[in-house]
Amino acid sequence: MTPDAAPTGLRALVVEDEAPLAELVSGYLRHDGFEVEVAGDGEEAIRRARTLDPDVVVLDLGLPGIDGVEVCRRLRTFSDCYVVMLTARAEEVDKLVGLSVGADDYLTKPFSPRELVARIRVMLRRPRTGVPRSADEGAPIVIGNLVVDVPARDARIAGDGVPLTRTEFDVLAALAVRPKMVLSRAALLEEVWGGGWNGDEHLVDVHVLHLRQKLGDNAELQRYVRTVRGVGYRIGTGQ
Ligand code: CA
């Protein structure tokens, strides 16, 4: 076995009640330089997350006691870490879409731990702030009642902060910094999830759905994030 990578200072919490799978995933993450803790149920996951302050949580949906959805909800009250949710069946992802759970990514079992770690790596590498693209870059972007301050990673509606996850904010920022452009799902994946992401473009729709819910929008009322049929999304400024 090759020696583990040098410590990266990154912390991961693996929440999985199947001990062999938890060990497998933890092993891959440790090998990649992560400090890893494992929780076997949801209550333990919340306790450990509070003390570990993880950069990423790998969260199984099916857990004894409180399930992964509830763990994610509670986690989101105090952490904006990346959450990758593991589901037993592909159909569960569709159910999760409607729940506004706040996970950043989903993987269906069985999955390759190597792919999981690669995706986490990409997520953690992607830039946290929007790359300046215009002359008055860095200035807050105003879309009706919504003000997006990209460098501060802050979104407000009529002055009230909107509690977006990192990924939701990244999607919003990617659109907001290009007010005249329609971004395809592929372009958003590239921008927000990073190059080489070979997952489902449906993931973009999941995050747009959650974003709209938090902004008080929906598919009919597209004040902030507009669907351009057959193309993708753009920010909702004027016409
Ligand atoms: Ca399980």
Side-chain angles (χ1 to χ4, degrees), residues 16-18 60-64 109:
E16 170 61 73
D17 56 311
E18 293 169 51
D60 185 33
L61 175 65
L63 294 168
K109 296 178 183 176

Side-chain angles (χ1 to χ4, degrees), residues 28 30 34 51 60 78 82 106 108 141 143 149 162 173 187 207:
Y28 270 84
R30 283 196 189 98
F34 284 83
T51 53
D60 185 33
F78 63 89
Y82 284 114
Y106 299 91
T108 303
I141 301 160
I143 305 125
D149 185 338
V162 183
H207 288 281

Side-chain angles (χ1 to χ4, degrees), residues 143 146 168 171-172 175-176 188 207-209 211-212 215 217-228 232-237:
I143 305 125
L146 171 66
E168 289 158 2
V171 170
L172 177 63
L175 294 166
L188 278 166
H207 288 281
V208 167
L209 181 91
L211 187 53
R212 281 181 175 153
L215 296 173
D217 253 358
N218 55 47
E220 285 73 47
L221 187 69
Q222 299 180 10
R223 292 170 299 182
Y224 306 118
V225 179
R226 294 190 180 173
T227 303
V228 180
Y233 297 102
R234 77 169 175 85
I235 204 74
T237 49

Side-chain angles (χ1 to χ4, degrees), residues 17 22 54 86 94 100 102 110 139 161-162 169 202 211 215:
D17 56 311
L86 306 178
D94 293 329
S100 197
V162 183
F169 187 87
H202 187 48
L211 187 53
L215 296 173

Side-chain angles (χ1 to χ4, degrees), residues 55 87-88 103 139 153 179 184 198:
D55 298 283
T87 72
R153 300 190 62 77
S184 67
N198 55 3

